Amino acid sequence: MEPVSLAAFWLALAGSALGALLTWAPMLIRIPRPRTQLVTAGAPGAAGIPEVPGRTPTLLSQLAGPLPAFVLVALTVSLGARWYTTGHPPLTNMWEFTVAFAAAVSLFQVSFFRRIGQDLAGVLLQPLVLILLGIAADFPSRIEPLTPALRSGNILVLHVGVMVLAYGALTISFAAAVLQLLQASPRRIGRLPDWRRFDDLAYRSVVVGFPLLALGIALGAYWASTAWGRYWGWDPKETSALLTWLAYGVYFHLHGLRRWAGNRSAMVLVVAYGFVLFSYFAVNLWVTGLHSYAGV
Amino acid sequence: MTTMQRSLALGISAWKWVAPSRLIRLLANVRFAAAVVTALVVLGLVGVLVPQVPEAARVDSTTMGRWLDARDAAMGPVAGWLYRLGIFDIFHSAWMAAGLVLLAASVVACTARRFAPIWRNVRHPVKVVPDAYLDSAHYRFFAEGQAVDATVLEGVLRRHHYSVERWQASGVEWLFADRYPWAQLATFLSHAALVLLITAGLVTHFTGFTARLFVANGGSDPVFPMGHSPAINVAVTNATSQSDSGGSPAGSSADLSISKNGTLAKVCTVTVTQPCTYDGYRFRQAFYYPYGADLQVRDVATGRVLYRDAVPLTGSKPAPRLTVTDSSGQVVLDEALAFSGAVGGVEGTSVTIPGVAQPLWAGLATEASGGAARLVLFEGGNASDAIRLDLPLHGEAIAAGLRFGFTDLTASPDAPAPALPLPPGASAAVPPTLQLLTGGLGQSPQLPQLSVVGVGSEPFSLKQGETATVGGYEYTFLDQKPFVGVEVKKDRGELLVWIGSGMLVLGLCLTLWLPRRRLWAKVGQDGLRMAGQAPRTGNLRRELEALASEAAAPPVPHSH
């Protein structure tokens, strides 16, 4: 089943590359900026946010529509085949982490479709999924025996799975924050919605990711208690996960303040996502700690 | 103004600043809380990026000294400054403690300040709103001319889990509906959890007990020092390790017998992830170490056993593997070499090779530049055909009709054994050392083999069960014995951590995920007006519209 896993992975990579191309191409084509409809508070739009008038999706966008679901299915097959081959959950090294991370982002992308519209979701996330899968392609995918501490199936799935889901949701908040900053600047892309739509999307995705991250850290503490004899030891990985959580906590507290609404909150999100990447990649690759077995 | 008056004024203003009401206002300020959390994040980041003092160094000044020397060598004079600032132990520094205390104080102050208004909002909500609110609320909906029966609307709201109050005023029907209002209090649950988690950390730090035992298979160790009551003893009756089909370690387990005051109290099996608990103490297998040597020393004259102990060989020494084949291709020697001394700065040992008149000196040379190790073979004397070989790893050469091969270089476990008795009259400047040759040479029946250096004038090697007599003492290598690291722990803070974690996650989920709603409706002649409040994640306007249309829709006939 290992060849099936790898083939599905490469299919997902190709699908995400095509998706990124198809979603971004029409965005970058210069077209007249649509007139923004002035609406009063409480008029159509999520949480009172003005909506961009309806646009007919271009042919390219329509073609890109099913691709995120295709990528999600391919990644699920890849991880499933890997699980079948190794006999343990595919969450034990950087290749498996990163593929699972990309799958989580795709999952949230697909689940957010109904809410935010296909082309918007694609613009946000297709390039990010492509980057993640590109990074995964650079990690060795060979199957190695598990260290004894990792041979605890249920807690492995729960802890790492919840962390991957949390990071997937927070990836959406990062993408939304970047696009919010872009749309609030003079270089805004006319075909994309108003910055407030992205602000709202970023907030919603943090609402999903923040409790998941807390749960993931708590599950990690429980696992550390049984496997390492203590619930907390300031290991670089657990510390950086806590820092990530605290950074999003700062976002929650500042977001409600008038002076911090809008671009400043988006900046906080961009910085907070730096902590996600730091704890996801940097700590495993460059910092020695008890999670080092999860390295490349 | 005199100097005294100025001082007085300054003092008064300082007092005003630190006066409790101001202090509480500062602590309850959201920006202040965000600043404290940001400061903690920065401290944590420093702790991740700057090497931190290892646990072992914190409790041992010698290890700490060595660790700091290494930092000095790597960082220069900056290391001293960083040490004094507590940067090398940031998570146990005054900075971190101050940050956590401030955070806890901020959470308490914030909670104290917000509790009363939120409680009022939950228990005594504003049920009557002016008409103007219905026309200006952020979330509002007006179904002009839509005839809605207030009773039907009430039913619809109840179906959507609202608690509803309905009344009439001036010929108009009013409704007040609330859904999950108590969820507003969940924010206190998650904030209280933070304080509880910090408290749990303090409880662990100040009252937690940890003992790390290193017990040989078949041996036992006390958990507490002599004289402690109760006296708890841990014996490892059977330690095993498993390998997978590829030979990689797949896990290990240890059977423990725990006794209290000399009476067997519990028998259990522990693994790395499955501890066992007795009397509030948790016994966990921290690690499995396969390399220990069970040694016995006996006085030959009296027959008395002077020493019997298992020595953990926790160090490591290189062990080159030398293979010698004769001209017919027969292997005459295949051995991993344990070093017994040094010649010219090159560590090595003497090797007797069948067919060679005198022993060879075999040493492992490493270039000063840190290049690859080479096996040097040297035969004494000045004969022109004396063996003088210098082999790279996996290299071969022929000398004296024999083919010499440096086939492998492995690390073998070793350790000093200062308690090992020396024969009468013997003395040693350095304690005897033991080196165990094992593993990697599965085909060799000679292993495991224990090399003993420093007991007599010459080193000697013992296979399992073998004996060597030196100066009237008989040294026996009884067995290779694994060791088990057993961690014994009692931590009252742990329960608080699990309660705090549960509260935190539950509080966050209730606060952020539960669809709290509060709405007001006015059913009048001109139609239905609705307004409401919801967290940002809700799309209440759309919900109001859906509720109104559900209330206006004709009832679905029941089919029988």
Side-chain angles (χ1 to χ4, degrees):
Chain A
M1 291 293 276
E2 197 184 349
V4 175
S5 171
L6 287 175
F9 166 76
W10 287 108
L11 269 177
L13 183 65
S16 67
L18 185 61
L21 191 70
L22 291 177
T23 46
W24 268 97
M27 291 294 163
L28 297 175
I29 296 168
R30 196 171 281 277
I31 60 163
R33 180 185 292 188
R35 282 183 301 156
T36 308
Q37 183 184 342
L38 285 174
V39 283
T40 53
I49 295 162
E51 276 189 342
V52 169
R55 285 179 280 113
T56 310
T58 63
L59 178 63
L60 292 179
S61 295
Q62 279 179 322
L63 286 173
L67 282 172
F70 170 78
V71 171
L72 177 62
V73 169
L75 291 177
T76 307
V77 169
S78 176
L79 291 169
R82 180 93 170 178
W83 193 334
Y84 182 82
T85 308
T86 59
H88 60 74
L91 300 164
T92 59
N93 62 30
M94 286 304 284
W95 186 87
E96 293 172 351
F97 280 158
T98 315
V99 173
F101 192 173
V105 176
S106 298
L107 175 70
F108 282 108
Q109 180 180 355
V110 171
S111 59
F112 268 72
F113 262 30
R114 276 191 310 131
R115 197 178 285 271
I116 59 175
Q118 286 191 10
D119 51 347
L120 174 57
V123 164
L124 288 172
L125 300 166
Q126 291 285 46
L128 273 170
V129 172
L130 176 62
I131 290 168
L132 281 174
L133 292 177
I135 292 170
D138 196 43
F139 288 131
S141 62
R142 65 178 177 272
I143 295 168
E144 301 280 1
L146 280 189
T147 59
L150 287 177
R151 293 170 198 263
S152 26
N154 291 340
I155 192 72
L156 171 68
V157 174
L158 283 172
H159 166 56
V160 187
V162 169
M163 292 302 277
V164 163
L165 284 175
Y167 289 156
L170 298 175
T171 301
I172 292 181
S173 75
F174 164 72
V178 169
L179 285 172
Q180 176 186 338
L181 291 170
L182 181 72
Q183 289 302 82
S185 74
R187 297 174 62 83
R188 70 185 296 273
I189 297 174
R191 293 181 62 119
L192 285 178
D194 184 87
W195 67 268
R196 277 166 288 191
R197 191 80 190 274
F198 290 109
D199 182 43
D200 184 60
L201 175 62
Y203 182 82
R204 283 162 192 267
S205 46
V206 178
V207 161
V208 174
F210 190 64
L212 283 175
L213 190 55
L215 178 62
I217 293 170
L219 288 168
Y222 175 75
W223 194 5
S225 170
T226 55
W228 298 328
R230 85 289 181 285
Y231 58 83
W232 196 263
W234 298 111
D235 177 68
K237 187 80 168 178
E238 59 193 29
T239 305
S240 58
L242 176 66
L243 300 184
T244 308
W245 188 80
L246 288 175
Y248 282 98
V250 170
Y251 165 77
F252 263 125
H253 283 84
L254 293 180
H255 187 260
L257 301 177
R258 185 169 296 178
R259 285 186 61 191
W260 281 83
N263 283 1
R264 284 186 175 188
S265 285
M267 292 293 288
V268 174
L269 277 186
V270 171
V271 173
Y273 193 70
F275 282 97
V276 171
L277 295 181
F278 180 74
S279 58
Y280 206 90
F281 291 111
V283 171
N284 279 65
L285 297 178
W286 298 305
V287 182
T288 307
L290 287 168
H291 284 77
S292 294
Y293 51 67
V296 182
Chain B
M1 190 184 274
T2 64
T3 311
M4 184 175 248
Q5 282 173 323
R6 272 202 299 272
S7 305
L8 197 61
L10 194 68
I12 289 169
S13 56
W15 167 249
K16 278 182 179 169
W17 192 81
V18 295
S21 60
R22 290 208 173 196
L23 188 61
I24 287 173
R25 265 211 300 279
L26 173 71
L27 289 171
N29 186 295
V30 174
R31 284 187 198 86
F32 179 77
V36 170
V37 175
T38 306
L40 286 171
V41 168
V42 171
L43 287 178
L45 196 59
V46 168
V48 173
L49 295 175
V50 177
Q52 296 293 292
V53 172
E55 189 69 36
R58 203 176 295 116
V59 293
D60 179 45
S61 56
T62 314
T63 315
M64 174 67 104
R66 274 203 297 268
W67 190 86
L68 284 175
D69 288 345
R71 294 279 77 73
D72 274 336
M75 297 172 147
V78 182
W81 284 101
L82 294 179
Y83 176 67
R84 278 188 283 279
L85 284 169
I87 302 296
F88 287 142
D89 200 9
I90 200 91
F91 301 116
H92 302 87
S93 68
W95 307 108
M96 187 58 97
L100 289 173
V101 166
L102 274 179
L103 179 65
S106 172
V107 170
V108 170
C110 204
T111 303
R113 205 166 178 204
R114 289 168 59 214
F115 188 79
I118 291 183
W119 179 257
R120 266 199 307 277
N121 194 30
V122 172
R123 298 290 299 163
H124 309 290
V126 175
K127 295 177 182 172
V128 180
V129 293
D131 281 351
Y133 178 73
L134 297 178
D135 295 329
S136 61
H138 185 69
Y139 295 117
R140 62 184 188 274
F141 177 73
F142 177 35
E144 195 173 3
Q146 189 171 315
V148 174
D149 185 336
T151 318
V152 174
L153 180 58
E154 182 182 345
V156 167
L157 288 167
R158 287 191 192 282
R159 272 205 300 281
H160 287 273
H161 308 291
Y162 284 86
S163 60
V164 187
E165 285 184 38
R166 182 164 61 87
W167 68 94
Q168 272 195 341
S170 311
V172 175
E173 292 268 7
W174 284 88
L175 289 97
F176 168 75
D178 223 355
R179 189 167 70 181
Y180 313 131
W182 47 267
Q184 292 174 74
L185 297 169
T187 182
F188 298 120
L189 195 64
S190 46
H191 282 82
L194 289 179
V195 178
L196 188 60
L197 288 170
I198 292 171
T199 309
L202 291 174
V203 171
T204 296
H205 184 74
F206 289 110
T207 71
F209 168 81
T210 304
R212 294 185 178 89
L213 312 177
F214 199 45
V215 190
N217 189 17
S220 68
D221 258 357
V223 174
F224 305 109
M226 289 282 280
H228 184 276
S229 181
I232 295 180
N233 210 60
V234 181
V236 176
T237 53
N238 185 31
T240 53
S241 72
Q242 299 87 39
S243 303
D244 61 18
S245 53
S248 304
S252 58
S253 64
D255 297 339
L256 303 185
S257 292
I258 302 163
S259 54
K260 184 178 179 181
N261 296 330
T263 309
L264 182 64
K266 184 162 187 174
V267 175
C268 58
T269 301
V270 294
T271 66
V272 170
T273 53
Q274 289 171 327
C276 90
T277 308
Y278 169 69
D279 203 18
Y281 292 91
R282 196 171 57 183
F283 298 78
R284 192 179 72 87
Q285 185 193 10
F287 58 85
Y288 175 90
Y289 190 72
Y291 307 119
D294 195 6
L295 267 178
Q296 179 182 286
V297 182
R298 199 172 65 93
D299 186 339
V300 177
T302 63
R304 199 160 59 91
V305 174
L306 304 171
Y307 176 89
R308 169 79 198 271
D309 202 4
V311 182
L313 306 174
T314 50
S316 174
K317 225 174 187 181
R321 183 181 169 192
L322 173 66
T323 310
V324 183
T325 48
D326 63 16
S327 53
S328 66
Q330 181 151 0
V331 177
V332 295
L333 184 94
D334 183 2
E335 211 170 282
L337 307 176
F339 300 146
S340 59
V343 173
V346 175
E347 277 210 289
T349 187
S350 65
V351 187
T352 303
I353 295 168
V356 177
Q358 56 178 319
L360 297 181
W361 173 261
L364 192 69
T366 309
E367 286 167 16
S369 57
R374 291 171 292 108
L375 184 64
V376 178
L377 297 163
F378 182 87
E379 186 182 8
N382 295 321
S384 59
D385 60 346
I387 297 169
R388 305 272 198 276
L389 296 176
D390 185 345
L391 302 173
L393 184 59
H394 306 306
E396 284 188 340
I398 294 173
L402 299 167
R403 180 182 292 275
F404 292 83
F406 177 16
T407 47
D408 201 2
L409 180 63
T410 55
S412 70
D414 87 324
L420 199 67
L422 299 177
S427 64
V430 288
T433 57
L434 306 174
Q435 186 178 2
L436 190 69
L437 299 173
T438 180
L441 298 172
Q443 71 275 33
S444 172
Q446 309 295 319
L447 301 176
Q449 179 179 302
L450 185 72
S451 174
V452 184
V453 179
V455 166
S457 56
E458 288 294 320
F460 56 88
S461 292
L462 300 170
K463 298 180 190 69
Q464 211 157 298
E466 265 188 357
T467 291
T469 304
V470 181
Y473 279 8
E474 186 186 79
Y475 294 82
T476 309
F477 174 32
L478 296 168
D479 201 1
Q480 178 185 332
K481 206 163 227 184
F483 274 76
V484 175
V486 180
E487 189 181 73
V488 187
K489 194 156 193 164
K490 191 173 204 170
D491 182 3
R492 292 185 180 87
E494 203 162 85
L495 179 64
L496 296 181
V497 165
W498 306 139
I499 294 171
S501 300
M503 283 167 59
L504 182 69
V505 174
L506 183 66
L508 287 174
C509 292
L510 290 177
T511 306
L512 298 173
W513 291 356
L514 208 64
R516 274 186 286 129
R517 302 285 184 268
R518 175 167 288 174
L519 59 91
W520 296 264
K522 179 185 175 189
V523 183
Q525 296 293 330
D526 57 342
L528 170 66
R529 285 174 197 276
M530 297 173 91
Q533 295 172 354
R536 248 197 89 174
T537 46
N539 189 349
L540 187 56
R541 198 209 164 267
R542 198 183 296 164
E543 287 178 28
L544 293 177
E545 204 175 322
L547 288 168
S549 73
E550 200 176 330
V556 180
H558 290 281
S559 58
H560 296 285

